[in-house]
């Protein structure tokens, strides 16, 4: 993971899709201690990750396993990007079935997480449920809406890759949220988690605040590398890196006809806090003189 000595101050809002499930791009979100977008305060891009939110889940009837596929990199500086199109299998029984009291008793001995780990787990899970992410994460949103009280299995949340990097014990996730979070709550059995606030509406201004970037000036573009360039034009909400052969994010498919290069070249999508920041990026960073240099275009605009 890469860190800046003086990380850019970036307000992160969206992410998209948090565990890697088929056909959904991946996001890495970064948080400072104390807050995250959509559910509180500005953040400093220097510490945490957010994984991709899955678009769907395919079950194999024989083995009862779900196959997940990571399809794109996304997030904000301070995170490390990762290879895409990797697959893994997760047992349906280990994720979707709620732990029973007997199952809980049979678990390995519980180790209480320390303060630092509690904060990291809480900030990561809060990001998954944040206003910025939840409206774009169709997989997680589906599970939230499936339960009339909005609860989601902690085993499911604990299977998300960036949570697994912190702990492999779902009980530690429950403990951390119960101890540190003011935006989430766990149920009485401590097997499920939910938002305290109502679900937000989708932000219709997102496309106008997003730019498409081609011919990035780096051999293998990273989230932090792209963010370092584009924060000069304003506060960034989200950076996504798309790679050929991987699925296009659902909210971006509408614009593929305007920017067909998104399906054939490595490119970045940079979402700003305000539309004027996106316009400034096009004005200041788009190289119109040399064909092989970096091109920056508004997502909603038809290229010349």
């Amino acid at each position: 993971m890469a860190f800046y000595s003086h990380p850019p101050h970036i307000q992160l809002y969206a992410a998209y899709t948090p565990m890697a499930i088929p056909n959904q791009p991946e996001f890495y979100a970064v948080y400072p201690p104390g807050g995250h977008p959509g559910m509180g305060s500005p953040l400093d891009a220097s510490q945490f990750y957010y994984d991709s939110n899955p678009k769907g889940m395919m079950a194999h009837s024989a083995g009862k396993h779900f196959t997940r596929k990571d399809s794109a990199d996304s997030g904000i500086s301070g995170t490390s990007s990762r290879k895409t199109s990797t697959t893994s299998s997760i047992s349906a029984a280990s994720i979707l079935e709620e732990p029973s009291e007997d199952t809980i008793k049979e678990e390995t001995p519980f180790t209480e997480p320390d303060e630092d780990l509690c904060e990291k787990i809480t900030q990561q899970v809060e990001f998954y449920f944040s206003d910025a992410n939840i409206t774009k994460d169709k997989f997680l949103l589906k599970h939230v809406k499936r339960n009339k009280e909005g609860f989601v299995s902690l085993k499911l949340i604990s299977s998300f890759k960036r949570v697994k990097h912190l702990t492999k014990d779902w009980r530690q996730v429950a403990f951390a949220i119960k101890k540190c979070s003011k935006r989430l709550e766990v149920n009485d059995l401590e097997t499920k988690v939910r938002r305290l606030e109502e679900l937000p509406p989708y932000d219709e201004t997102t496309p106008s605040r997003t730019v498409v970037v081609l011919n990035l000036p780096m051999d293998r573009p990273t989230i932090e590398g792209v963010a370092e360039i584009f924060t000069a034009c304003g506060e960034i909400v989200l950076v996504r890196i798309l790679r050929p052969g991987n699925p296009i994010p659902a909210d971006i498919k509408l614009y593929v006809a305007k920017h067909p290069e998104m399906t054939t070249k490595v490119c970045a999508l940079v979402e700003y806090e305000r539309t004027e920041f996106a316009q400034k990026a096009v004005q200041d960073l788009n190289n119109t003189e040399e064909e092989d240099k970096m091109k920056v275009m508004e997502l909603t605009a038809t290229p010349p």
Side-chain angles (χ1 to χ4, degrees):
M1 168 167 58
F3 290 91
Y4 292 113
S5 57
H6 300 288
H9 288 279
I10 297 172
Q11 215 163 9
L12 180 82
Y13 283 95
Y16 194 59
T17 60
M19 69 183 257
I21 297 274
N23 304 324
Q24 200 70 10
E26 158 190 338
F27 296 66
Y28 302 112
V30 190
Y31 305 108
H36 69 73
M39 296 179 80
S41 49
L43 68 97
D44 169 10
S46 61
Q47 293 184 32
F48 289 83
Y49 297 107
Y50 167 50
D51 232 1
S52 147
N53 291 325
K55 176 180 181 181
M57 192 161 65
M58 297 185 298
H60 299 288
S61 57
K64 291 186 179 179
H65 278 67
F66 299 114
T67 300
R68 338 188 312 180
K69 183 176 181 181
D70 300 337
S71 59
D73 300 332
S74 75
I76 295 298
S77 125
T79 69
S80 57
S81 59
R82 63 187 173 91
K83 293 181 180 179
T84 59
S85 297
T86 57
T87 57
S88 61
S89 293
I90 298 177
S91 168
S94 68
I95 291 182
L96 297 185
E97 293 180 6
E98 290 304 322
S100 65
E101 292 186 16
D102 290 338
T103 300
I104 294 173
K105 292 176 183 177
E106 293 172 3
E107 296 274 5
T108 56
F110 173 69
T111 301
E112 185 176 305
D114 60 28
E115 191 73 28
D116 181 61
L117 182 56
C118 281
E119 289 180 0
K120 289 180 179 179
I121 291 171
T122 299
Q123 289 166 346
Q124 186 63 62
V125 178
E126 282 184 346
F127 178 76
Y128 293 147
F129 285 89
S130 69
D131 288 356
N133 174 66
I134 197 70
T135 56
K136 295 182 180 179
D137 182 351
K138 293 186 178 180
F139 177 81
L140 182 57
L141 186 60
K142 176 183 70 176
H143 282 274
V144 170
K145 290 182 175 181
R146 178 179 292 175
N147 183 287
K148 63 181 180 180
E149 296 180 337
F151 280 108
V152 177
S153 165
L154 276 166
K155 279 202 169 185
L156 176 64
I157 299 300
S158 300
S159 72
F160 290 8
K161 193 166 188 177
R162 295 300 164 183
V163 174
K164 288 169 67 178
H165 284 175
L166 298 171
T167 178
K168 293 181 172 59
D169 189 339
W170 62 270
R171 296 170 299 174
Q172 289 192 331
V173 178
F175 180 90
I177 293 172
K178 192 169 182 179
K179 179 179 181 180
C180 299
S181 182
K182 295 180 180 179
R183 303 178 179 97
L184 304 173
E185 67 175 346
V186 296
N187 66 343
D188 292 339
L189 281 177
E190 299 184 3
T191 59
K192 300 178 184 180
V193 60
R194 70 175 177 184
R195 287 170 52 106
L196 289 173
E197 297 179 357
E198 295 293 325
L199 290 172
Y202 175 72
D203 186 352
E204 300 292 343
T205 70
T206 298
S208 68
R209 295 184 282 106
T210 302
V211 296
V212 180
V213 188
L214 300 173
N215 301 335
L216 288 155
M218 52 195 81
D219 291 336
R220 182 172 177 81
T222 62
I223 300 305
E224 54 275 351
V226 173
E228 186 174 17
I229 295 171
F230 285 85
T231 48
C233 299
E235 291 182 79
I236 293 177
V237 170
L238 176 70
V239 173
R240 286 181 275 186
I241 295 177
L242 306 184
R243 305 185 191 277
N246 291 328
I248 297 294
D251 62 315
I252 300 300
K253 286 182 179 179
L254 180 63
Y255 304 98
V256 169
K258 292 180 182 290
H259 307 285
E261 300 92 341
M262 289 194 295
T263 63
T264 59
K265 295 182 178 181
V266 175
C267 65
L269 299 172
V270 181
E271 180 184 335
Y272 282 99
E273 174 68 19
R274 295 163 59 181
T275 300
E276 50 264 44
F277 296 157
Q279 294 170 342
K280 180 175 173 56
V282 173
Q283 180 179 345
D284 294 354
L285 300 176
N286 183 38
N287 189 322
T288 58
E289 298 179 358
E290 300 176 76
E291 186 175 348
D292 61 342
K293 298 300 181 181
M294 188 168 69
K295 306 299 179 189
V296 184
M297 303 161 285
E298 293 180 54
L299 178 64
T300 56
T302 302

